[in-house]
Amino acid sequence: MKKTFKTYWPLLLVLAVVGFLFTFRLGRDLLWDWDECIYGQYAKEMLNSRHFFTNIWNGYIDLQKPPLYSWLLNIPALFGRTELNLRFLNVIGSLALISSVYVFSQQYFSRKVAILSSLILLTGEVFVIYTMKINTDILYSLFIFLGACGWLSSKKRGFWIAGLFFGLAIMVKGLGVTQFLGALFISLFINFRKEQLLNFLKLCFITGLIILPWHVSTYVTYGNHFLKVYI
């Protein structure tokens, strides 16, 4: 326990400070921009209608994105549908992303690099603003980063972790994740190994297991209208 604290005390200090700053007066302002209003409404109508299969906006079935973010948003909403509770999901996601960047940087570089990496992430204006708003980008970034970490992991079965998180990223924001998968595929040929290619195919298989049930069932239900709106 002491060894763990000694290793990660800078991270714990950063999380304590920024966690307070992120949550301080988090619920002060009403939901004010398009993203906050639409995602808040998605979660509200999903829970009220008991229609958990797709996002709904004022009674209209909205097929632009998979519903995972709305599912997750309803968890803090169970404690009250307030601005603070709805925004709190992204604060948790941001703290998880900061922690992931720190752990990754310390593992592959050094503690100094880990501290600097975490602090540099916090200098990003968009990152800070989006942390305190309702939007899909924070969890999307977190899942993509964890997917990349899984792929780069020295563990033999890191592709399982990568496939899981890339699948979750797609279920949060859609098929934009394919560009990151494409980059991983191209990187295979820098130092080609048959084992890595097989692992990449396994990664894609796991990702497919996560995303195909919703995508296939939605296509069966809504047909070409789903493809036109979603793609």
Side-chain angles (χ1 to χ4, degrees):
M1 185 67 180
K2 290 183 179 180
K3 183 178 180 181
T4 302
F5 178 79
K6 185 177 180 179
T7 302
Y8 293 106
W9 73 262
L11 172 61
L12 297 175
L13 179 61
V14 170
L15 293 180
V17 173
V18 300
F20 171 76
L21 294 176
F22 283 156
T23 54
F24 177 65
R25 305 180 79 176
L26 184 64
R28 181 191 63 179
D29 299 324
L30 299 175
L31 306 185
W32 61 274
D33 74 354
W34 172 255
D35 280 347
E36 291 210 296
C37 293
I38 193 170
Y39 291 119
Q41 189 69 15
Y42 281 167
K44 179 180 179 180
E45 294 200 37
M46 179 177 283
L47 194 62
N48 289 345
S49 66
R50 294 295 189 267
H51 180 90
F52 298 99
F53 188 68
T54 54
N55 293 314
I56 304 175
W57 170 256
N58 287 335
Y60 169 76
I61 300 295
D62 193 339
L63 302 173
Q64 295 182 68
K65 290 184 176 69
L68 178 57
Y69 187 73
S70 299
W71 296 344
L72 295 175
L73 201 58
N74 269 311
I75 296 175
L78 293 175
F79 300 95
R81 194 169 297 279
T82 65
E83 284 76 9
L84 188 149
N85 288 344
L86 291 172
R87 290 172 178 146
F88 194 68
L89 175 64
N90 272 20
V91 173
I92 295 298
S94 290
L95 296 180
L97 182 55
I98 294 169
S99 301
S100 301
V101 169
Y102 185 97
V103 172
F104 175 85
S105 300
Q106 180 163 282
Q107 179 180 355
Y108 287 94
F109 301 101
S110 66
R111 178 187 288 185
K112 289 183 179 179
V113 174
I115 295 172
L116 285 174
S117 299
S118 303
L119 295 177
I120 289 172
L121 178 59
L122 287 165
T123 64
E125 182 181 7
V126 172
F127 174 75
V128 173
I129 291 174
Y130 277 38
T131 291
M132 296 181 287
K133 289 173 53 178
I134 304 172
N135 62 86
T136 58
D137 296 275
I138 295 297
L139 290 187
Y140 178 69
S141 301
L142 172 64
F143 291 149
I144 288 176
F145 185 78
L146 291 176
C149 289
W151 176 252
L152 295 172
S153 172
S154 58
K155 296 180 180 179
K156 292 184 178 180
R157 299 191 179 276
F159 61 85
W160 289 97
I161 299 173
L164 168 65
F165 284 111
F166 281 127
L168 292 176
I170 292 174
M171 290 302 295
V172 163
K173 199 171 177 68
L175 297 177
V177 177
T178 53
Q179 61 186 318
F180 298 98
L181 294 175
L184 290 185
F185 178 73
I186 294 173
S187 70
L188 295 176
F189 299 95
I190 296 175
N191 183 20
F192 182 79
R193 288 182 296 162
K194 183 179 179 181
E195 180 185 3
Q196 281 294 80
L197 177 60
L198 292 175
N199 286 341
F200 181 79
L201 294 176
K202 293 174 184 176
L203 180 159
C204 293
F205 175 74
I206 296 165
T207 301
L209 287 179
I210 294 172
I211 69 171
L212 282 178
W214 182 83
H215 286 79
V216 171
S217 58
T218 304
Y219 175 73
V220 170
T221 304
Y222 299 102
N224 289 331
H225 174 66
F226 166 62
L227 297 181
K228 184 183 297 185
V229 173
Y230 184 69
I231 296 179

